[in-house]
Amino acid sequence: MTHPLDEHGQLISADLHGMMALTLDFPAQCERAIALAQAWSLPALPREPRLIVVSGMGGSGIGGDYLHALFALQGDLPVLVVRDYHLPHCVDAHTLLFAVSYSGNTEETLACYAEARTRDAIIVALSSGGELQARAQQDGVPHLQVPGGQPPRTALGYLFLPMVVLCERLNLLPDMGSSYARTLQRLVQARERWGIHTPYESNPAKQLASALYGKLPLLYGSGGYRAIVATRWKGQFNENAKQHAFANTFPELNHNEILGWVGAKRQAGNFAVVALRDPDESRQTRTRIEVTRRLVGDAADWHEVWAEGESLLERLLSLTYLGDFVSLYLAYLNGVDPYTIDYIDLLKAELARVARGM
Ligand code: F6R
């Protein structure tokens, strides 16, 4: 019998807004994003930045987390991600602020943009258009326009990679060398292995989605950048598959969440842990994961996925890409449209109504 996830024709025609097609396009999107930022006429910075802040929400904020992960290993500046209406007190004229909003209309990001102007921060705005672009143009603030017309969560390439290229061009990150080319190549290979046309029996993304169907996934990053990727997986499970998922990371979860497993079986019988791992994890982390797995015991299914590639960028983006596919397959199994985000739209409309004083 054909596995439900191998009914390509049916799945694709039910995916009314082409989320699978957008996901299959991700490697090409990354390539376009890199080229766009390399060709952009980057203005000289008026001052040397001492801090980088990325202001963005949801799909536009996660690129800031990814930038943070790169700087943690390869950069000299601290990176803060702000997902709120206000900037921290430390933001000043020596802060480089990336204001990122795919639509350009997200009120929290616009509020931070306005606040950054009053602090005289060095601002670079990134959006596909909207109010952010209009304000930047009016204020003479550099604005990088990325192609629009797709859900922000499918536009991670556009929302993350331009910041990497710009930081590299500003000598805030070391030269990426062949890392971009290798990353693009790996993403293309990953698409072959995890994409819709690869049958269930040889497709680890379909297999994992199938194993997670009807379960409550707990995504455990094995520290470092895997913590951030676990959060991205969670967001994709929420927005695409319309289901709960929770993310945590080693070693932190060994200091609190681990005790939740004592009474877990009283709460639910359908937990599934997915450990997001890296071949270069420390010995301590490996030990923590082994012991945690033993302690979880039969209170949850246990799955492991491993990052692949040499450079951090390759590992970061390919592990992310796997989660994108799994979330789409889960959406199909859950019988929901991965595109729609009714509750987010409703909240935005309600907030806009309140802002207009209606
Ligand atoms: C929708 C999505 C959301 C948005 C968020 C902010 O696909 O991922 O999380 O990213 O509501 O909107 P933008 O990105 O337009 O600033």
CSV table of all heavy atoms in Angstrom, one decimal, residues 57-60 100-104 106 151-153 239 341 344 348, ligand 1:
chain,number,residue,atom,x,y,z
A,57,MET,N,10.3,39.9,14.6
A,57,MET,CA,9.3,39.0,15.2
A,57,MET,C,9.1,37.7,14.4
A,57,MET,O,9.2,37.8,13.2
A,57,MET,CB,8.0,39.7,15.4
A,57,MET,CG,8.0,41.0,16.2
A,57,MET,SD,8.6,40.9,17.8
A,57,MET,CE,7.5,39.8,18.6
A,58,GLY,N,8.8,36.6,15.1
A,58,GLY,CA,8.5,35.4,14.4
A,58,GLY,C,9.5,35.0,13.3
A,58,GLY,O,10.7,35.0,13.6
A,59,GLY,N,9.0,34.8,12.1
A,59,GLY,CA,9.9,34.3,11.0
A,59,GLY,C,11.0,35.4,10.7
A,59,GLY,O,12.0,35.0,10.2
A,60,SER,N,10.7,36.6,11.1
A,60,SER,CA,11.8,37.6,10.8
A,60,SER,C,12.7,37.8,12.0
A,60,SER,O,13.8,38.4,11.8
A,60,SER,CB,11.1,39.0,10.6
A,60,SER,OG,10.4,39.0,9.4
A,100,VAL,N,14.3,44.1,11.0
A,100,VAL,CA,14.0,43.1,10.0
A,100,VAL,C,12.5,42.8,10.1
A,100,VAL,O,12.0,42.3,11.2
A,100,VAL,CB,14.8,41.8,10.2
A,100,VAL,CG1,14.4,40.7,9.2
A,100,VAL,CG2,16.3,42.0,10.3
A,101,SER,N,11.8,43.0,9.0
A,101,SER,CA,10.4,42.6,9.0
A,101,SER,C,10.1,42.2,7.5
A,101,SER,O,10.2,43.1,6.6
A,101,SER,CB,9.5,43.7,9.4
A,101,SER,OG,8.1,43.4,9.1
A,102,TYR,N,9.7,41.0,7.3
A,102,TYR,CA,9.5,40.6,5.9
A,102,TYR,C,8.4,41.4,5.2
A,102,TYR,O,8.6,42.0,4.2
A,102,TYR,CB,9.1,39.1,5.9
A,102,TYR,CG,9.0,38.6,4.4
A,102,TYR,CD1,10.2,38.5,3.7
A,102,TYR,CD2,7.8,38.2,3.8
A,102,TYR,CE1,10.2,38.1,2.4
A,102,TYR,CE2,7.8,37.7,2.5
A,102,TYR,CZ,9.0,37.7,1.8
A,102,TYR,OH,8.9,37.2,0.5
A,103,SER,N,7.3,41.6,5.9
A,103,SER,CA,6.2,42.5,5.4
A,103,SER,C,6.6,43.9,5.4
A,103,SER,O,6.1,44.7,4.6
A,103,SER,CB,4.9,42.3,6.1
A,103,SER,OG,5.1,42.7,7.5
A,104,GLY,N,7.4,44.3,6.4
A,104,GLY,CA,7.7,45.7,6.7
A,104,GLY,C,6.6,46.4,7.5
A,104,GLY,O,6.7,47.6,7.7
A,106,THR,N,5.3,45.1,10.7
A,106,THR,CA,5.1,44.5,12.0
A,106,THR,C,5.4,45.6,13.1
A,106,THR,O,6.4,46.3,13.1
A,106,THR,CB,6.1,43.3,12.2
A,106,THR,OG1,5.6,42.4,11.3
A,106,THR,CG2,6.0,42.8,13.6
A,151,PRO,N,5.2,33.6,2.6
A,151,PRO,CA,5.1,33.7,4.1
A,151,PRO,C,6.5,33.8,4.7
A,151,PRO,O,7.5,33.2,4.2
A,151,PRO,CB,4.5,32.3,4.5
A,151,PRO,CG,3.9,31.8,3.3
A,151,PRO,CD,4.6,32.3,2.2
A,152,PRO,N,6.7,34.7,5.6
A,152,PRO,CA,8.0,35.0,6.2
A,152,PRO,C,8.8,33.7,6.6
A,152,PRO,O,10.0,33.6,6.5
A,152,PRO,CB,7.7,35.9,7.4
A,152,PRO,CG,6.4,36.5,7.1
A,152,PRO,CD,5.6,35.6,6.3
A,153,ARG,N,8.0,32.8,7.2
A,153,ARG,CA,8.7,31.6,7.7
A,153,ARG,C,9.3,30.7,6.5
A,153,ARG,O,10.1,29.9,6.8
A,153,ARG,CB,7.8,30.7,8.5
A,153,ARG,CG,6.6,30.2,7.8
A,153,ARG,CD,5.6,29.6,8.8
A,153,ARG,NE,4.4,29.1,8.2
A,153,ARG,CZ,3.4,29.8,7.7
A,153,ARG,NH1,3.4,31.1,7.8
A,153,ARG,NH2,2.3,29.2,7.2
A,239,GLU,N,3.3,26.7,13.2
A,239,GLU,CA,2.7,27.5,12.2
A,239,GLU,C,2.3,26.7,11.0
A,239,GLU,O,1.2,26.9,10.4
A,239,GLU,CB,3.6,28.6,11.7
A,239,GLU,CG,3.8,29.7,12.7
A,239,GLU,CD,4.6,30.9,12.2
A,239,GLU,OE1,4.2,31.5,11.2
A,239,GLU,OE2,5.7,31.2,12.9
A,341,ILE,N,-2.4,31.1,8.6
A,341,ILE,CA,-2.0,31.5,10.0
A,341,ILE,C,-3.1,32.4,10.6
A,341,ILE,O,-2.8,33.5,11.0
A,341,ILE,CB,-0.6,32.1,10.1
A,341,ILE,CG1,-0.5,33.2,9.0
A,341,ILE,CG2,0.5,31.1,9.9
A,341,ILE,CD1,0.7,34.2,9.2
A,344,ILE,N,-2.7,34.4,13.9
A,344,ILE,CA,-1.7,35.5,13.8
A,344,ILE,C,-2.4,36.7,13.1
A,344,ILE,O,-2.3,37.8,13.5
A,344,ILE,CB,-0.4,35.0,13.1
A,344,ILE,CG1,0.3,33.9,14.0
A,344,ILE,CG2,0.5,36.2,13.0
A,344,ILE,CD1,1.6,33.4,13.3
A,348,LYS,N,-3.1,40.5,14.5
A,348,LYS,CA,-2.6,41.7,13.8
A,348,LYS,C,-3.7,42.6,13.5
A,348,LYS,O,-3.6,43.8,13.7
A,348,LYS,CB,-1.8,41.3,12.6
A,348,LYS,CG,-0.4,40.7,12.9
A,348,LYS,CD,0.4,40.5,11.7
A,348,LYS,CE,1.8,39.9,12.1
A,348,LYS,NZ,2.7,39.6,11.0
B,1,F6R,C1,4.4,34.1,9.1
B,1,F6R,C2,5.4,34.1,10.2
B,1,F6R,C3,5.2,35.1,11.3
B,1,F6R,C4,5.8,36.5,10.9
B,1,F6R,C5,5.6,37.5,12.1
B,1,F6R,C6,6.2,38.9,11.8
B,1,F6R,O1,4.9,33.2,8.1
B,1,F6R,O2,6.4,33.4,10.1
B,1,F6R,O3,5.9,34.6,12.4
B,1,F6R,O4,7.1,36.4,10.6
B,1,F6R,O5,4.3,37.7,12.4
B,1,F6R,O6,5.8,39.4,10.5
B,1,F6R,P1,6.9,40.0,9.5
B,1,F6R,O7,7.9,38.8,9.3
B,1,F6R,O8,6.2,40.4,8.3
B,1,F6R,O9,7.6,41.1,10.2
